[in-house]
Amino acid sequence: MDSLITAAGRALAAGDPLGALKRVALRDDAPALALRGIAMAQLGDLERAKALLKSAARAFSPKEAVARARCVVAEAEIALVSRDLGWPEKALRTARATLQAHGDRVNAAYAGSLEARRLILIGRLDEAERLLAGFDPAPLPPVARVAHELAAAGIAVRRLRTKAARAALGRAALAAYEANIPALTTEVENASLVLKMPAARLIAQGSERLLLLEEVEALLASQALVVDACRNVVREAGAVVQLATRPVLFALARTLAEAWPADASREALLRRAFRARHADESHRARLRVEMGRLRAELGAFAEINATAQGFELAPRRAGEVVVLAPPVEEEHGAVLAFLADGESWSSSALAIALGASARTVQRALEELSGQHKVQPVGRGRARRWMTPPMPAFPTVLLLPGPLPCD
């Protein structure tokens, strides 16, 4: 192989994109275009990087299937970093299969890590876990091990397996140290912050406090009756009642839980569930109907009894009733949770990740922009949305994907 191409490749592997460009900046052959594209990606010019990689893939002959596949993997990594979730995942799967068939285990494993990280972003944790299970990261070079362990940590964090997440992040930090690439070390350090920041608020018996992710894990594994305002469900000992599509019932359940062990007044219940300022007989009648529906939903967990002032929650087995709420409650909290990673997102990528319509996401972004909580970058189809990381804002509990007992 050309000595300049070899030297440029080694420079990129060591995290020195400028050193790589010095060797291939003036060349337009296919290997040089590919290396220039990767170098520009490392320098942050993602649009130029994509253009160079596409040119390189076209310049390689049909017989150079491995080189073409590597270009596709590099494009996929850029798409992931730029949160282009509409990028064709089938192309990455095909490239991974090609690399595997030709014995390029390192790049095949790296492609698998990228695919897993995309699946994690959109909440398809089971698929991501099955994908990672097919690779043994031990023989891989440090950079590929970091990618693998970050994906494994992402799954563990989403599933509230904090011990496994901490172990994966530790292995990623060790691999980043071996790679001796500052940007890689920074990426691992940023990923580790989720374990050190408040993930939720615990509201119980009139008081509240912030919880770390491992404390949330312990709470959900306890025998407490938990009204989870992060996912709009009610949990107890591994059993879950889904109320995400029944906001009135969830509002009633949360109000009762916040008042426990006392009762909640009818006025408070009507105000929270129906936003009624002045209760009349029709409101009271509707409250009785909705309470009957809530009794049916929570019958296995608790009784709901009428009192002189309102209603009270009486758990059947649990020794306590608590509410698990986001540290910062926002109307568009799920959108902010994605943007809190500091990356720039398109509205279409957010819609894919949230499983919502593009128009719904656009309306949310416009409202948040009016409140100066997010800001647009670029115009037209190139517009992206971003916000600086918000202190104490949940970046896990509001994101898609099932928790352990869902």
Side-chain angles (χ1 to χ4, degrees), residues 85-98:
L85 299 185
W87 194 85
E89 57 182 312
K90 184 178 178 181
L92 180 57
R93 285 198 299 269
T94 302
R96 179 164 59 87
T98 299

Side-chain angles (χ1 to χ4, degrees), residues 85 121-122 333-335 338 345 349-357 361 398-400:
L85 299 185
L121 273 180
I122 59 179
V335 174
F338 276 103
W345 288 71
L350 284 168
I352 292 171
L354 290 164
S357 71
V361 172
L398 293 179
L399 302 183

Side-chain angles (χ1 to χ4, degrees), residues 386-398:
M386 64 185 303
T387 182
M390 299 175 64
F393 192 84
T395 56
V396 176
L397 297 182
L398 293 179

